[in-house]
Amino acid sequence: MPSSKVSKSETMKSAAKTVGRLYFLDLAAGRVLTSNPDGSDVKTIVNEGRKLPDGIVVDVAASHIYWTNMGNPKANDGTIDRADLDGSNVTNIVPSGATWTPKQLQLDVKNCKLYWSDREGMRVMRANLDGSNIETLVETGHGETDRLDARNWCVGIAIDLNGGKFYWTQKGNDNAGQGRIFRAGLEIPRGQTPANRKDIEVLYENLPEPIDLDLDLGNRVIYWTDRGDPPRGNTVNRAPMDAASGKRKEPEIVFNHLMEGIGLFLDLPNDRMFLTDLGGSVYSANLDGSNKKNIVFAEGNLSGIAYAEVPARS
């Protein structure tokens, strides 16, 4: 008669089983949603109303998701929240008043840090995972006059820990061709401040409206969504991270015809990307833009997106 006992190896294998899940945000309704990577099994796991959520990351090891809430762009009331992977135990970690309009969010697991761009705050910021030790890394303007100038608005954010750099976008005015992508060191040079640091590089400029960023560090390629009018707007673009100034070619468009493109996540192990637009769609495609699929549609006004391999439910 076969034994009913389960071996230790079988138990460990079962415990280690994971599934891919997308996590994305509905800005209009204030929802956090999740689905399978093919767009099936869409579920709302957090429904907080009109806080305007924008950027999201997944900390698989800690079983947490983090997301930014823009709040009222005319008021200093943005927040960052955390929840368990199933949306339970929602906790505010960066309170209202500590960041103005937080946008894209990135996770530094190694150093237990969150990085984000603060649009109307005209800053790039970071904090510990519990929301403590909030720091400003870059300040592009100060006061109400500067706040009204969209050239100062910081939107997307990406980090290269091994390279010691972070990257961010400043979108500029609508369809004005003022968008830029910048790079600077993760630490402010000694004796300098977020407002006057001298290590800031402009990598790309005269872009329609660059929004979210992600990095393919293995191939040293930067990807971003760009709003604005076609042909260069409402696209996903990519370009070399390290091309010398004066030798940078025009970015390559790998995905177009978005309806106000926002969120972007590179799933590098599977050679694919996921993206969202305010038209309410989630798309998938290979990193070169082939095999395009609209996997979720008519789900409100979608902003940030993340993909993770999370523990499978028993």
Side-chain angles (χ1 to χ4, degrees), residues 56-121:
I56 187 167
V57 292
V58 183
D59 184 351
V60 175
S63 298
H64 286 149
I65 53 173
Y66 296 85
W67 68 95
T68 61
N69 294 296
M70 292 190 292
N72 179 355
K74 296 182 179 180
N76 186 15
D77 66 348
T79 63
I80 299 178
D81 288 345
R82 182 190 73 209
D84 295 344
L85 294 177
D86 62 1
S88 62
N89 297 317
V90 175
T91 303
N92 173 245
I93 59 166
V94 175
S96 177
T99 181
W100 196 292
T101 319
K103 297 285 288 178
Q104 191 178 12
L105 184 67
Q106 295 289 358
L107 174 67
D108 170 5
V109 175
K110 180 180 178 181
N111 299 298
C112 299
K113 295 283 186 180
L114 292 168
Y115 285 74
W116 68 94
S117 281
D118 183 353
R119 192 177 66 190
E120 274 81 1

Side-chain angles (χ1 to χ4, degrees), residues 1-77:
M1 187 175 180
S3 171
S4 61
K5 291 182 179 180
V6 179
S7 70
K8 183 178 179 181
S9 62
E10 287 175 318
T11 301
M12 291 176 66
K13 186 176 180 181
S14 175
K17 200 174 287 186
T18 62
V19 295
R21 294 294 292 186
L22 289 170
Y23 293 83
F24 51 98
L25 302 170
D26 175 9
L27 182 147
R31 295 185 297 156
V32 181
L33 303 100
T34 184
S35 77
N36 290 324
D38 64 359
S40 62
D41 191 35
V42 176
K43 298 176 181 178
T44 297
I45 56 174
V46 178
N47 195 344
E48 290 197 301
R50 296 184 61 84
K51 292 186 177 181
L52 303 185
D54 189 86
I56 187 167
V57 292
V58 183
D59 184 351
V60 175
S63 298
H64 286 149
I65 53 173
Y66 296 85
W67 68 95
T68 61
N69 294 296
M70 292 190 292
N72 179 355
K74 296 182 179 180
N76 186 15
D77 66 348

